[in-house]
PDB file of all heavy atoms in Angstrom:
ATOM      1  N   ALA X  68     159.787  37.032  45.866  1.00  0.00           N
ATOM      2  CA  ALA X  68     158.583  37.857  46.046  1.00  0.00           C
ATOM      3  C   ALA X  68     158.215  38.025  47.515  1.00  0.00           C
ATOM      4  O   ALA X  68     157.803  39.107  47.942  1.00  0.00           O
ATOM      5  CB  ALA X  68     157.420  37.243  45.268  1.00  0.00           C
ATOM      6  N   CYS X  69     158.349  36.971  48.303  1.00  0.00           N
ATOM      7  CA  CYS X  69     157.949  37.015  49.718  1.00  0.00           C
ATOM      8  C   CYS X  69     159.135  37.196  50.657  1.00  0.00           C
ATOM      9  O   CYS X  69     159.031  36.927  51.854  1.00  0.00           O
ATOM     10  CB  CYS X  69     157.171  35.746  50.078  1.00  0.00           C
ATOM     11  SG  CYS X  69     155.643  35.546  49.147  1.00  0.00           S
ATOM     12  N   ARG X  70     160.252  37.649  50.095  1.00  0.00           N
ATOM     13  CA  ARG X  70     161.472  37.888  50.881  1.00  0.00           C
ATOM     14  C   ARG X  70     161.874  36.657  51.707  1.00  0.00           C
ATOM     15  O   ARG X  70     161.905  36.700  52.941  1.00  0.00           O
ATOM     16  CB  ARG X  70     161.295  39.107  51.793  1.00  0.00           C
ATOM     17  CG  ARG X  70     161.060  40.403  51.035  1.00  0.00           C
ATOM     18  CD  ARG X  70     160.946  41.587  51.986  1.00  0.00           C
ATOM     19  NE  ARG X  70     160.811  42.834  51.258  1.00  0.00           N
ATOM     20  CZ  ARG X  70     159.655  43.363  50.879  1.00  0.00           C
ATOM     21  NH1 ARG X  70     158.520  42.716  51.156  1.00  0.00           N
ATOM     22  NH2 ARG X  70     159.604  44.500  50.228  1.00  0.00           N
ATOM     23  N   PRO X  71     162.196  35.551  51.039  1.00  0.00           N
ATOM     24  CA  PRO X  71     162.544  34.325  51.771  1.00  0.00           C
ATOM     25  C   PRO X  71     163.841  34.491  52.545  1.00  0.00           C
ATOM     26  O   PRO X  71     164.696  35.322  52.214  1.00  0.00           O
ATOM     27  CB  PRO X  71     162.700  33.293  50.651  1.00  0.00           C
ATOM     28  CG  PRO X  71     163.116  34.095  49.463  1.00  0.00           C
ATOM     29  CD  PRO X  71     162.353  35.380  49.579  1.00  0.00           C
ATOM     30  N   ARG X  72     163.995  33.672  53.557  1.00  0.00           N
ATOM     31  CA  ARG X  72     165.224  33.692  54.345  1.00  0.00           C
ATOM     32  C   ARG X  72     166.327  32.867  53.682  1.00  0.00           C
ATOM     33  O   ARG X  72     167.499  33.068  53.955  1.00  0.00           O
ATOM     34  CB  ARG X  72     164.944  33.158  55.742  1.00  0.00           C
ATOM     35  CG  ARG X  72     163.943  34.008  56.514  1.00  0.00           C
ATOM     36  CD  ARG X  72     163.606  33.394  57.857  1.00  0.00           C
ATOM     37  NE  ARG X  72     164.755  33.440  58.768  1.00  0.00           N
ATOM     38  CZ  ARG X  72     164.812  32.777  59.914  1.00  0.00           C
ATOM     39  NH1 ARG X  72     163.806  31.982  60.279  1.00  0.00           N
ATOM     40  NH2 ARG X  72     165.877  32.874  60.699  1.00  0.00           N
ATOM     41  N   LEU X  73     165.927  31.915  52.820  1.00  0.00           N
ATOM     42  CA  LEU X  73     166.904  31.095  52.105  1.00  0.00           C
ATOM     43  C   LEU X  73     166.477  30.968  50.651  1.00  0.00           C
ATOM     44  O   LEU X  73     165.327  30.650  50.358  1.00  0.00           O
ATOM     45  CB  LEU X  73     167.005  29.697  52.730  1.00  0.00           C
ATOM     46  CG  LEU X  73     167.921  28.699  52.005  1.00  0.00           C
ATOM     47  CD1 LEU X  73     169.370  29.163  52.057  1.00  0.00           C
ATOM     48  CD2 LEU X  73     167.793  27.298  52.600  1.00  0.00           C
ATOM     49  N   LEU X  74     167.410  31.223  49.741  1.00  0.00           N
ATOM     50  CA  LEU X  74     167.174  31.055  48.313  1.00  0.00           C
ATOM     51  C   LEU X  74     168.113  29.982  47.792  1.00  0.00           C
ATOM     52  O   LEU X  74     169.326  30.050  47.987  1.00  0.00           O
ATOM     53  CB  LEU X  74     167.422  32.374  47.567  1.00  0.00           C
ATOM     54  CG  LEU X  74     167.213  32.326  46.042  1.00  0.00           C
ATOM     55  CD1 LEU X  74     165.754  32.026  45.710  1.00  0.00           C
ATOM     56  CD2 LEU X  74     167.645  33.637  45.401  1.00  0.00           C
ATOM     57  N   ILE X  75     167.534  28.964  47.138  1.00  0.00           N
ATOM     58  CA  ILE X  75     168.309  27.888  46.528  1.00  0.00           C
ATOM     59  C   ILE X  75     168.284  28.103  45.022  1.00  0.00           C
ATOM     60  O   ILE X  75     167.211  28.130  44.407  1.00  0.00           O
ATOM     61  CB  ILE X  75     167.713  26.512  46.872  1.00  0.00           C
ATOM     62  CG1 ILE X  75     167.609  26.332  48.387  1.00  0.00           C
ATOM     63  CG2 ILE X  75     168.547  25.399  46.252  1.00  0.00           C
ATOM     64  CD1 ILE X  75     166.751  25.149  48.799  1.00  0.00           C
ATOM     65  N   ALA X  76     169.454  28.274  44.409  1.00  0.00           N
ATOM     66  CA  ALA X  76     169.549  28.495  42.965  1.00  0.00           C
ATOM     67  C   ALA X  76     170.237  27.295  42.330  1.00  0.00           C
ATOM     68  O   ALA X  76     171.424  27.056  42.559  1.00  0.00           O
ATOM     69  CB  ALA X  76     170.333  29.780  42.676  1.00  0.00           C
ATOM     70  N   ASP X  77     169.471  26.522  41.562  1.00  0.00           N
ATOM     71  CA  ASP X  77     169.967  25.287  40.961  1.00  0.00           C
ATOM     72  C   ASP X  77     170.405  25.547  39.519  1.00  0.00           C
ATOM     73  O   ASP X  77     169.574  25.683  38.630  1.00  0.00           O
ATOM     74  CB  ASP X  77     168.871  24.211  41.004  1.00  0.00           C
ATOM     75  CG  ASP X  77     169.364  22.853  40.539  1.00  0.00           C
ATOM     76  OD1 ASP X  77     170.569  22.729  40.234  1.00  0.00           O
ATOM     77  OD2 ASP X  77     168.552  21.912  40.478  1.00  0.00           O
ATOM     78  N   GLU X  78     171.706  25.622  39.307  1.00  0.00           N
ATOM     79  CA  GLU X  78     172.278  25.885  37.975  1.00  0.00           C
ATOM     80  C   GLU X  78     171.556  27.064  37.306  1.00  0.00           C
ATOM     81  O   GLU X  78     171.038  26.942  36.184  1.00  0.00           O
ATOM     82  CB  GLU X  78     172.161  24.630  37.091  1.00  0.00           C
ATOM     83  CG  GLU X  78     172.872  23.404  37.634  1.00  0.00           C
ATOM     84  CD  GLU X  78     174.350  23.364  37.298  1.00  0.00           C
ATOM     85  OE1 GLU X  78     174.876  24.370  36.803  1.00  0.00           O
ATOM     86  OE2 GLU X  78     174.972  22.323  37.547  1.00  0.00           O
ATOM     87  N   PRO X  79     171.523  28.239  37.930  1.00  0.00           N
ATOM     88  CA  PRO X  79     170.700  29.330  37.409  1.00  0.00           C
ATOM     89  C   PRO X  79     171.240  29.976  36.143  1.00  0.00           C
ATOM     90  O   PRO X  79     170.543  30.771  35.516  1.00  0.00           O
ATOM     91  CB  PRO X  79     170.705  30.345  38.564  1.00  0.00           C
ATOM     92  CG  PRO X  79     172.004  30.114  39.254  1.00  0.00           C
ATOM     93  CD  PRO X  79     172.230  28.629  39.174  1.00  0.00           C
ATOM     94  N   THR X  80     172.482  29.644  35.733  1.00  0.00           N
ATOM     95  CA  THR X  80     173.062  30.317  34.565  1.00  0.00           C
ATOM     96  C   THR X  80     173.469  29.350  33.464  1.00  0.00           C
ATOM     97  O   THR X  80     174.089  29.756  32.484  1.00  0.00           O
ATOM     98  CB  THR X  80     174.308  31.124  34.984  1.00  0.00           C
ATOM     99  OG1 THR X  80     175.296  30.235  35.527  1.00  0.00           O
ATOM    100  CG2 THR X  80     173.961  32.161  36.032  1.00  0.00           C
ATOM    101  N   THR X  81     173.092  28.074  33.568  1.00  0.00           N
ATOM    102  CA  THR X  81     173.600  27.046  32.653  1.00  0.00           C
ATOM    103  C   THR X  81     173.292  27.341  31.186  1.00  0.00           C
ATOM    104  O   THR X  81     174.144  27.201  30.317  1.00  0.00           O
ATOM    105  CB  THR X  81     173.030  25.667  33.032  1.00  0.00           C
ATOM    106  OG1 THR X  81     173.513  25.328  34.338  1.00  0.00           O
ATOM    107  CG2 THR X  81     173.467  24.604  32.045  1.00  0.00           C
ATOM    108  N   ALA X  82     172.060  27.745  30.886  1.00  0.00           N
ATOM    109  CA  ALA X  82     171.639  27.891  29.492  1.00  0.00           C
ATOM    110  C   ALA X  82     171.836  29.310  28.949  1.00  0.00           C
ATOM    111  O   ALA X  82     171.352  29.628  27.863  1.00  0.00           O
ATOM    112  CB  ALA X  82     170.164  27.508  29.362  1.00  0.00           C
ATOM    113  N   LEU X  83     172.559  30.144  29.676  1.00  0.00           N
ATOM    114  CA  LEU X  83     172.690  31.551  29.303  1.00  0.00           C
ATOM    115  C   LEU X  83     174.087  31.850  28.770  1.00  0.00           C
ATOM    116  O   LEU X  83     175.060  31.182  29.136  1.00  0.00           O
ATOM    117  CB  LEU X  83     172.395  32.441  30.514  1.00  0.00           C
ATOM    118  CG  LEU X  83     171.061  32.182  31.219  1.00  0.00           C
ATOM    119  CD1 LEU X  83     170.933  33.069  32.447  1.00  0.00           C
ATOM    120  CD2 LEU X  83     169.894  32.419  30.262  1.00  0.00           C
ATOM    121  N   ASP X  84     174.190  32.879  27.917  1.00  0.00           N
ATOM    122  CA  ASP X  84     175.516  33.249  27.433  1.00  0.00           C
ATOM    123  C   ASP X  84     176.301  33.940  28.544  1.00  0.00           C
ATOM    124  O   ASP X  84     175.760  34.314  29.583  1.00  0.00           O
ATOM    125  CB  ASP X  84     175.434  34.117  26.171  1.00  0.00           C
ATOM    126  CG  ASP X  84     174.750  35.457  26.418  1.00  0.00           C
ATOM    127  OD1 ASP X  84     175.154  36.166  27.369  1.00  0.00           O
ATOM    128  OD2 ASP X  84     173.837  35.810  25.657  1.00  0.00           O
ATOM    129  N   VAL X  85     177.595  34.115  28.310  1.00  0.00           N
ATOM    130  CA  VAL X  85     178.503  34.538  29.380  1.00  0.00           C
ATOM    131  C   VAL X  85     178.109  35.891  29.960  1.00  0.00           C
ATOM    132  O   VAL X  85     178.136  36.090  31.181  1.00  0.00           O
ATOM    133  CB  VAL X  85     179.955  34.568  28.850  1.00  0.00           C
ATOM    134  CG1 VAL X  85     180.894  35.134  29.908  1.00  0.00           C
ATOM    135  CG2 VAL X  85     180.403  33.170  28.451  1.00  0.00           C
ATOM    136  N   THR X  86     177.721  36.833  29.111  1.00  0.00           N
ATOM    137  CA  THR X  86     177.358  38.161  29.594  1.00  0.00           C
ATOM    138  C   THR X  86     176.140  38.103  30.495  1.00  0.00           C
ATOM    139  O   THR X  86     176.117  38.714  31.580  1.00  0.00           O
ATOM    140  CB  THR X  86     177.083  39.105  28.408  1.00  0.00           C
ATOM    141  OG1 THR X  86     178.244  39.158  27.580  1.00  0.00           O
ATOM    142  CG2 THR X  86     176.740  40.503  28.895  1.00  0.00           C
ATOM    143  N   ILE X  87     175.120  37.352  30.083  1.00  0.00           N
ATOM    144  CA  ILE X  87     173.906  37.232  30.892  1.00  0.00           C
ATOM    145  C   ILE X  87     174.199  36.452  32.169  1.00  0.00           C
ATOM    146  O   ILE X  87     173.654  36.762  33.233  1.00  0.00           O
ATOM    147  CB  ILE X  87     172.784  36.552  30.079  1.00  0.00           C
ATOM    148  CG1 ILE X  87     172.508  37.337  28.795  1.00  0.00           C
ATOM    149  CG2 ILE X  87     171.512  36.457  30.917  1.00  0.00           C
ATOM    150  CD1 ILE X  87     172.099  38.779  29.023  1.00  0.00           C
ATOM    151  N   GLN X  88     175.068  35.441  32.090  1.00  0.00           N
ATOM    152  CA  GLN X  88     175.457  34.708  33.295  1.00  0.00           C
ATOM    153  C   GLN X  88     175.989  35.655  34.362  1.00  0.00           C
ATOM    154  O   GLN X  88     175.604  35.587  35.535  1.00  0.00           O
ATOM    155  CB  GLN X  88     176.548  33.685  32.954  1.00  0.00           C
ATOM    156  CG  GLN X  88     176.049  32.424  32.294  1.00  0.00           C
ATOM    157  CD  GLN X  88     177.169  31.407  32.118  1.00  0.00           C
ATOM    158  OE1 GLN X  88     178.185  31.473  32.800  1.00  0.00           O
ATOM    159  NE2 GLN X  88     176.986  30.468  31.207  1.00  0.00           N
ATOM    160  N   ALA X  89     176.886  36.540  33.959  1.00  0.00           N
ATOM    161  CA  ALA X  89     177.485  37.476  34.913  1.00  0.00           C
ATOM    162  C   ALA X  89     176.423  38.386  35.520  1.00  0.00           C
ATOM    163  O   ALA X  89     176.450  38.674  36.723  1.00  0.00           O
ATOM    164  CB  ALA X  89     178.563  38.302  34.217  1.00  0.00           C
ATOM    165  N   GLN X  90     175.465  38.819  34.720  1.00  0.00           N
ATOM    166  CA  GLN X  90     174.403  39.694  35.227  1.00  0.00           C
ATOM    167  C   GLN X  90     173.525  38.962  36.239  1.00  0.00           C
ATOM    168  O   GLN X  90     173.154  39.536  37.272  1.00  0.00           O
ATOM    169  CB  GLN X  90     173.556  40.201  34.059  1.00  0.00           C
ATOM    170  CG  GLN X  90     174.305  41.135  33.120  1.00  0.00           C
ATOM    171  CD  GLN X  90     173.489  41.500  31.888  1.00  0.00           C
ATOM    172  OE1 GLN X  90     172.339  41.058  31.729  1.00  0.00           O
ATOM    173  NE2 GLN X  90     174.066  42.290  31.006  1.00  0.00           N
ATOM    174  N   ILE X  91     173.185  37.709  35.951  1.00  0.00           N
ATOM    175  CA  ILE X  91     172.343  36.931  36.873  1.00  0.00           C
ATOM    176  C   ILE X  91     173.070  36.687  38.188  1.00  0.00           C
ATOM    177  O   ILE X  91     172.490  36.810  39.282  1.00  0.00           O
ATOM    178  CB  ILE X  91     171.927  35.588  36.224  1.00  0.00           C
ATOM    179  CG1 ILE X  91     171.010  35.835  35.006  1.00  0.00           C
ATOM    180  CG2 ILE X  91     171.230  34.692  37.253  1.00  0.00           C
ATOM    181  CD1 ILE X  91     169.690  36.492  35.323  1.00  0.00           C
ATOM    182  N   LEU X  92     174.349  36.354  38.126  1.00  0.00           N
ATOM    183  CA  LEU X  92     175.115  36.125  39.356  1.00  0.00           C
ATOM    184  C   LEU X  92     175.238  37.406  40.177  1.00  0.00           C
ATOM    185  O   LEU X  92     175.099  37.386  41.404  1.00  0.00           O
ATOM    186  CB  LEU X  92     176.502  35.578  39.015  1.00  0.00           C
ATOM    187  CG  LEU X  92     176.522  34.159  38.453  1.00  0.00           C
ATOM    188  CD1 LEU X  92     177.918  33.793  37.975  1.00  0.00           C
ATOM    189  CD2 LEU X  92     176.036  33.153  39.483  1.00  0.00           C
ATOM    190  N   ASP X  93     175.491  38.511  39.504  1.00  0.00           N
ATOM    191  CA  ASP X  93     175.548  39.800  40.212  1.00  0.00           C
ATOM    192  C   ASP X  93     174.219  40.092  40.893  1.00  0.00           C
ATOM    193  O   ASP X  93     174.177  40.594  42.021  1.00  0.00           O
ATOM    194  CB  ASP X  93     175.898  40.930  39.242  1.00  0.00           C
ATOM    195  CG  ASP X  93     177.367  40.913  38.828  1.00  0.00           C
ATOM    196  OD1 ASP X  93     178.165  40.236  39.509  1.00  0.00           O
ATOM    197  OD2 ASP X  93     177.713  41.564  37.830  1.00  0.00           O
ATOM    198  N   LEU X  94     173.121  39.783  40.215  1.00  0.00           N
ATOM    199  CA  LEU X  94     171.790  40.011  40.779  1.00  0.00           C
ATOM    200  C   LEU X  94     171.578  39.161  42.031  1.00  0.00           C
ATOM    201  O   LEU X  94     171.104  39.667  43.063  1.00  0.00           O
ATOM    202  CB  LEU X  94     170.734  39.685  39.719  1.00  0.00           C
ATOM    203  CG  LEU X  94     169.276  39.659  40.176  1.00  0.00           C
ATOM    204  CD1 LEU X  94     168.855  41.025  40.720  1.00  0.00           C
ATOM    205  CD2 LEU X  94     168.366  39.232  39.027  1.00  0.00           C
ATOM    206  N   LEU X  95     171.933  37.879  41.957  1.00  0.00           N
ATOM    207  CA  LEU X  95     171.752  37.003  43.110  1.00  0.00           C
ATOM    208  C   LEU X  95     172.575  37.481  44.309  1.00  0.00           C
ATOM    209  O   LEU X  95     172.091  37.485  45.450  1.00  0.00           O
ATOM    210  CB  LEU X  95     172.142  35.574  42.748  1.00  0.00           C
ATOM    211  CG  LEU X  95     171.192  34.835  41.804  1.00  0.00           C
ATOM    212  CD1 LEU X  95     171.805  33.506  41.361  1.00  0.00           C
ATOM    213  CD2 LEU X  95     169.843  34.596  42.456  1.00  0.00           C
ATOM    214  N   LEU X  96     173.802  37.902  44.060  1.00  0.00           N
ATOM    215  CA  LEU X  96     174.648  38.366  45.154  1.00  0.00           C
ATOM    216  C   LEU X  96     174.134  39.673  45.738  1.00  0.00           C
ATOM    217  O   LEU X  96     174.190  39.896  46.950  1.00  0.00           O
ATOM    218  CB  LEU X  96     176.085  38.533  44.659  1.00  0.00           C
ATOM    219  CG  LEU X  96     176.800  37.234  44.289  1.00  0.00           C
ATOM    220  CD1 LEU X  96     178.202  37.514  43.769  1.00  0.00           C
ATOM    221  CD2 LEU X  96     176.873  36.298  45.481  1.00  0.00           C
ATOM    222  N   ARG X  97     173.630  40.544  44.878  1.00  0.00           N
ATOM    223  CA  ARG X  97     173.068  41.812  45.378  1.00  0.00           C
ATOM    224  C   ARG X  97     171.846  41.546  46.247  1.00  0.00           C
ATOM    225  O   ARG X  97     171.673  42.155  47.304  1.00  0.00           O
ATOM    226  CB  ARG X  97     172.705  42.715  44.196  1.00  0.00           C
ATOM    227  CG  ARG X  97     172.024  44.027  44.596  1.00  0.00           C
ATOM    228  CD  ARG X  97     171.957  44.978  43.420  1.00  0.00           C
ATOM    229  NE  ARG X  97     171.231  44.435  42.295  1.00  0.00           N
ATOM    230  CZ  ARG X  97     169.897  44.514  42.162  1.00  0.00           C
ATOM    231  NH1 ARG X  97     169.158  45.092  43.106  1.00  0.00           N
ATOM    232  NH2 ARG X  97     169.307  44.027  41.097  1.00  0.00           N
ATOM    233  N   LEU X  98     170.994  40.626  45.814  1.00  0.00           N
ATOM    234  CA  LEU X  98     169.796  40.301  46.590  1.00  0.00           C
ATOM    235  C   LEU X  98     170.175  39.652  47.928  1.00  0.00           C
ATOM    236  O   LEU X  98     169.556  39.933  48.953  1.00  0.00           O
ATOM    237  CB  LEU X  98     168.900  39.358  45.784  1.00  0.00           C
ATOM    238  CG  LEU X  98     168.257  39.971  44.539  1.00  0.00           C
ATOM    239  CD1 LEU X  98     167.600  38.888  43.690  1.00  0.00           C
ATOM    240  CD2 LEU X  98     167.231  41.028  44.923  1.00  0.00           C
ATOM    241  N   ARG X  99     171.187  38.790  47.909  1.00  0.00           N
ATOM    242  CA  ARG X  99     171.639  38.188  49.164  1.00  0.00           C
ATOM    243  C   ARG X  99     172.142  39.255  50.128  1.00  0.00           C
ATOM    244  O   ARG X  99     171.800  39.263  51.326  1.00  0.00           O
ATOM    245  CB  ARG X  99     172.761  37.179  48.896  1.00  0.00           C
ATOM    246  CG  ARG X  99     173.289  36.501  50.162  1.00  0.00           C
ATOM    247  CD  ARG X  99     174.630  35.834  49.943  1.00  0.00           C
ATOM    248  NE  ARG X  99     175.653  36.769  49.510  1.00  0.00           N
ATOM    249  CZ  ARG X  99     176.295  37.606  50.337  1.00  0.00           C
ATOM    250  NH1 ARG X  99     175.997  37.638  51.622  1.00  0.00           N
ATOM    251  NH2 ARG X  99     177.214  38.424  49.862  1.00  0.00           N
ATOM    252  N   ARG X 100     172.925  40.173  49.608  1.00  0.00           N
ATOM    253  CA  ARG X 100     173.486  41.235  50.452  1.00  0.00           C
ATOM    254  C   ARG X 100     172.406  42.184  50.965  1.00  0.00           C
ATOM    255  O   ARG X 100     172.349  42.511  52.151  1.00  0.00           O
ATOM    256  CB  ARG X 100     174.531  42.017  49.647  1.00  0.00           C
ATOM    257  CG  ARG X 100     175.241  43.104  50.433  1.00  0.00           C
ATOM    258  CD  ARG X 100     176.205  43.855  49.547  1.00  0.00           C
ATOM    259  NE  ARG X 100     175.517  44.575  48.483  1.00  0.00           N
ATOM    260  CZ  ARG X 100     175.617  44.294  47.193  1.00  0.00           C
ATOM    261  NH1 ARG X 100     176.360  43.276  46.798  1.00  0.00           N
ATOM    262  NH2 ARG X 100     174.968  45.001  46.290  1.00  0.00           N
ATOM    263  N   ASP X 101     171.512  42.593  50.086  1.00  0.00           N
ATOM    264  CA  ASP X 101     170.498  43.594  50.464  1.00  0.00           C
ATOM    265  C   ASP X 101     169.426  43.006  51.375  1.00  0.00           C
ATOM    266  O   ASP X 101     168.905  43.699  52.256  1.00  0.00           O
ATOM    267  CB  ASP X 101     169.841  44.177  49.206  1.00  0.00           C
ATOM    268  CG  ASP X 101     170.817  45.002  48.366  1.00  0.00           C
ATOM    269  OD1 ASP X 101     171.919  45.290  48.872  1.00  0.00           O
ATOM    270  OD2 ASP X 101     170.475  45.334  47.223  1.00  0.00           O
ATOM    271  N   ASN X 102     169.080  41.735  51.170  1.00  0.00           N
ATOM    272  CA  ASN X 102     167.989  41.126  51.938  1.00  0.00           C
ATOM    273  C   ASN X 102     168.477  40.275  53.103  1.00  0.00           C
ATOM    274  O   ASN X 102     167.670  39.817  53.915  1.00  0.00           O
ATOM    275  CB  ASN X 102     167.120  40.251  51.019  1.00  0.00           C
ATOM    276  CG  ASN X 102     166.441  41.066  49.929  1.00  0.00           C
ATOM    277  OD1 ASN X 102     166.326  42.282  50.028  1.00  0.00           O
ATOM    278  ND2 ASN X 102     166.005  40.389  48.883  1.00  0.00           N
TER     279      ASN X 102
END
């Protein structure tokens, strides 16, 4: 929300099914690249 300079993601996909895992990882990488 506040555009942090560092984001720590602790097991962000552990409880999710494979399709949702891939979407969450893609989202994190897109945010890292864009921000």
Side-chain angles (χ1 to χ4, degrees):
C69 298
R70 297 182 176 89
R72 298 176 69 192
L73 176 65
L74 180 64
I75 304 167
D77 186 3
E78 300 276 10
T80 61
T81 296
L83 307 177
D84 64 51
V85 175
T86 302
I87 303 301
Q88 282 186 21
Q90 293 174 0
I91 294 297
L92 291 172
D93 286 344
L94 171 61
L95 289 171
L96 292 178
R97 176 168 59 86
L98 292 170
R99 180 197 59 79
R100 183 182 64 247
D101 293 349
N102 297 342

